[in-house]
Amino acid sequence: MTAVKIEKGVAQYIEHNLYYYFEYVRDIQRLKKDILLGRANYDENVGGGRGNLPSRPTERRTIELITHRRLERLEQIVHAIQTVYQSLTPEKQKAVQLKYWSGKSYTWEQVAREIGVSVRQLYRWRDQIIYDIAKLLGEVNSNS
């Protein structure tokens, strides 16, 4: 396997998405619920005067468009992570779980010890996982 190269900013962006994966899944569910039920059903200002959503149709439509765009992007990110994760070996899946999803601040050294591989090997796995997710999201050229 040859080493993959990815820009530092892109790698940081993908890792950020990995850390927030489950929050994104919850956001998708919430945004879909908002769209299906309509935002008016979430009025927490009962009896308190005017709501904070614009009453002008153009502004309301802009908010709905932004919501749809955010939902679409979150769905793309979650799908890319799921696709790559499901293609991983059990050891690589465990590495992702420990590093990004455990809720604990495992270092790469701790993850390597837990799985029984070298840190260097773990870094190669990480780089490939990040690259594969970035590729699915269109963040890198497929020729790279």
Side-chain angles (χ1 to χ4, degrees), residues 12-25:
Q12 289 173 335
Y13 169 71
I14 299 302
E15 280 199 295
H16 172 83
N17 289 329
L18 280 164
Y19 280 114
Y20 285 92
Y21 169 78
F22 288 106
E23 190 171 317
Y24 291 170
V25 170

Side-chain angles (χ1 to χ4, degrees), residues 43 45 47-55:
D43 185 11
N45 191 24
R50 299 180 73 184
N52 63 350
L53 286 176
S55 59

Side-chain angles (χ1 to χ4, degrees), residues 18 21 75-89 93 101 129 132-133 135-137:
L18 280 164
Y21 169 78
E75 286 178 331
Q76 289 171 346
I77 291 167
V78 165
H79 179 265
I81 291 171
Q82 288 173 344
T83 300
V84 171
Y85 179 79
Q86 290 169 357
S87 73
L88 299 175
T89 63
Q93 287 181 348
W101 300 340
I129 291 166
D132 291 346
I133 293 169
K135 189 173 168 184
L136 285 176
L137 290 174

Side-chain angles (χ1 to χ4, degrees), residues 30-89:
R30 183 185 49 77
L31 288 170
K32 283 182 175 181
K33 191 174 183 181
D34 284 352
I35 291 167
L36 287 173
L37 299 177
R39 291 174 177 267
N41 293 334
Y42 283 95
D43 185 11
E44 295 175 7
N45 191 24
V46 176
R50 299 180 73 184
N52 63 350
L53 286 176
S55 59
R56 290 183 235 147
T58 304
E59 290 176 357
R60 184 175 293 275
R61 185 72 187 128
T62 301
I63 289 171
E64 289 171 1
L65 186 60
I66 291 169
T67 300
H68 283 282
R69 283 186 181 155
R70 173 151 173 76
L71 175 61
E72 186 176 292
R73 185 60 180 165
L74 288 174
E75 286 178 331
Q76 289 171 346
I77 291 167
V78 165
H79 179 265
I81 291 171
Q82 288 173 344
T83 300
V84 171
Y85 179 79
Q86 290 169 357
S87 73
L88 299 175
T89 63

Side-chain angles (χ1 to χ4, degrees), residues 3-4 6 11 122-132:
V4 293
I6 190 166
L122 200 57
Y123 284 144
R124 283 194 288 267
W125 290 357
R126 176 203 60 190
D127 293 347
Q128 186 65 54
I129 291 166
I130 289 171
Y131 178 83
D132 291 346

